[in-house]
Amino acid sequence: MQSLSFTLIYEADFLECSYGYRTGRNPLQAVRELTEALHRGQFEFLVEADIKGYFEHIQHDWLLRMLALRINDGALLGLIRKWLRAGILEEDGRIEQPESGTPQGGSVSPVLANVYLHYVLDLWFERRMRKQYQGQSRLFRFADDFVCCFDYRHEAEAFERALPERRSKFGLELATDKTRRIRFGPWGGRHNGRFDFLGFEFSWGRGRRGQPTVQRRTSRKKLRGGGGSVHRMDKSRAAPLAGRVDGNAHRQVHRPLELLRHRRQLQEPEPLLLRDQPHPVQVAQSAQPTAELHVEGVQSATQALQGATATSGGSGLGDQVALPAREKHRTRQSGQPVRCRLPTGVCVSESS
């Protein structure tokens, strides 16, 4: 509830250059607007800076004086004073009374930190420093990470010299490895530098038509940091995890392939049909136990059947031995013996 109250009070006071911990604003919005401002070619030089241990070095006296400029409720200010100086229980049982900084994880800490930099940096840059510059200048800030853009080199150098003194007055210290001045303009060419802001690396490049354009990519420090944390994993924990993941992946990927391969093995391959070769189905039927006799082998049997028919008065199997006309025609053309299966189980062939 207190966080919402402070947000409603100071939302009307915060400037357009502030993007952190505000309703309706986010880091991507700051990145897009910075990219658009640089792409339009309004600036040639840039100062990037970061505050070292910002949340731990906020001075309580200065913060309470800043809040008193906007809040006239003594009870509320006294509650904030007690909340800032609340003891911290250490692991060894000691209770430490903080002299500076805001409690980490508190709901009001982001709002108070934003209020502190609102007076320390935003108002100082907009109302004092920009009035001294002849060219254009602009500030982009998200929490304790900020970038200042300038038209002229001497104005960027003047701001870089005045920044440490302003920070030390309010108990803050700049991170030397993240604070520098670079050339960054559309016509800088090989003199242009690179800088990181909110996890993105900004640089100048060429577009599809060869025109200068601002390019951004994931910061290299972020990529190296993420890869290093993976390599520093304990091997005793990483090996079982990798085996479990690999086993699941093997079952998920290779199991359907094994089922498909098993189904293909169950299905008999389609036989190849060659010229002048019998079909496999015919070969299988010929292997069944049927009474098939060749012409030369059944001549004696035919004569015996005819004799038996004559003896029995002309009624018998001899009347049904004639071959069909189609089979006769086929036999005369091919010159090969013809096989036909009769209902009685006796097959008689006739050659031309």
Side-chain angles (χ1 to χ4, degrees):
M1 187 65 182
Q2 293 179 357
S3 177
L4 180 60
S5 301
F6 280 105
T7 301
L8 296 176
I9 293 173
Y10 283 96
E11 185 63 30
D13 297 343
F14 289 150
L15 304 181
E16 292 295 327
C17 60
S18 176
Y19 295 90
Y21 311 125
R22 296 182 58 183
T23 304
R25 295 197 167 213
N26 52 66
L28 292 180
Q29 184 178 358
V31 170
R32 285 194 296 265
E33 293 189 7
L34 175 60
T35 304
E36 184 180 357
L38 294 174
H39 184 72
R40 288 198 300 263
Q42 298 179 355
F43 310 104
E44 292 291 336
F45 295 90
L46 184 143
V47 176
E48 60 168 336
D50 191 9
I51 302 176
K52 182 178 180 181
Y54 170 61
F55 289 92
E56 291 80 10
H57 293 85
I58 296 178
Q59 302 298 315
H60 293 171
D61 296 337
W62 278 110
L63 179 59
L64 292 173
R65 291 172 60 181
M66 294 172 184
L67 293 176
L69 297 175
R70 194 69 170 83
I71 301 175
N72 195 21
D73 188 352
L76 180 58
L77 294 177
L79 181 62
I80 295 175
R81 182 182 296 105
K82 294 181 180 180
W83 180 74
L84 290 174
R85 297 178 180 178
I88 301 176
L89 181 61
E90 300 292 343
E91 296 181 356
D92 55 357
R94 296 183 299 104
I95 298 179
E96 182 180 356
Q97 301 293 335
E99 298 294 336
S100 62
T102 58
Q104 296 291 335
S107 59
V108 193
S109 294
V111 182
L112 296 179
N114 211 15
V115 170
Y116 197 77
L117 277 183
H118 170 71
Y119 289 98
V120 175
L121 179 64
D122 299 350
L123 293 179
W124 173 71
F125 180 81
E126 293 292 337
R127 297 182 181 180
R128 176 181 292 184
M129 301 303 295
R130 290 192 66 178
K131 293 181 179 180
Q132 304 175 8
Y133 302 146
Q134 298 179 357
Q136 297 182 0
S137 60
R138 188 172 176 182
L139 172 66
F140 296 88
R141 181 180 68 83
F142 187 91
D144 59 333
D145 192 4
F146 62 93
V147 172
C148 295
C149 307
F150 302 92
D151 274 351
Y152 302 109
R153 183 192 299 271
H154 66 277
E155 296 177 352
E157 294 175 351
F159 176 79
E160 188 179 11
R161 289 192 301 266
L163 189 58
E165 182 180 358
R166 179 70 177 180
R167 289 290 182 270
S168 60
K169 179 180 179 180
F170 294 92
L172 302 178
E173 182 182 358
L174 295 177
T176 56
D177 57 336
K178 299 181 179 180
T179 303
R180 59 172 182 162
R181 171 180 49 85
I182 60 174
R183 173 73 181 272
F184 199 87
W187 314 113
R190 59 185 181 88
H191 300 286
N192 283 331
R194 299 171 179 264
F195 71 96
D196 295 341
F197 184 65
L198 299 180
F200 289 90
E201 181 185 83
F202 290 77
S203 62
W204 278 98
R206 294 290 179 179
R208 296 181 178 179
R209 300 181 181 179
Q211 75 280 8
T213 181
V214 178
Q215 299 177 351
R216 63 173 187 256
R217 48 168 291 179
T218 304
S219 176
R220 301 181 184 182
K221 296 180 182 180
K222 298 295 182 181
L223 291 177
R224 287 196 298 266
S229 61
V230 174
H231 292 296
R232 287 192 299 268
M233 290 179 61
D234 188 8
K235 294 183 179 180
S236 61
R237 297 178 58 187
L241 179 60
R244 184 163 59 253
V245 172
D246 293 343
N248 294 334
H250 176 79
R251 285 193 295 269
Q252 294 177 3
V253 176
H254 295 278
R255 182 61 179 172
L257 297 179
E258 294 177 357
L259 295 177
L260 181 59
R261 190 181 300 109
H262 180 65
R263 291 179 180 178
R264 290 182 177 178
Q265 291 177 357
L266 293 179
Q267 296 178 358
E268 296 183 359
E270 183 69 18
L272 298 178
L273 301 180
L274 302 179
R275 183 177 297 179
D276 299 334
Q277 294 293 335
H279 196 274
V281 177
Q282 298 178 358
V283 176
Q285 292 179 355
S286 62
Q288 297 178 358
T290 56
E292 294 184 355
L293 300 176
H294 200 267
V295 174
E296 291 80 3
V298 299
Q299 288 181 354
S300 58
T302 305
Q303 295 176 0
L305 290 173
Q306 292 177 355
T309 303
T311 307
S312 61
S315 61
L317 296 177
D319 297 336
Q320 303 178 5
V321 179
L323 293 176
R326 183 181 301 175
E327 298 296 340
K328 291 183 180 180
H329 180 69
R330 187 181 302 173
T331 301
R332 293 189 184 94
Q333 290 182 353
S334 60
Q336 299 294 334
V338 178
R339 299 176 181 179
C340 62
R341 187 175 303 166
L342 299 178
T344 57
V346 179
C347 181
V348 179
S349 300
E350 178 182 292
S351 58
S352 56

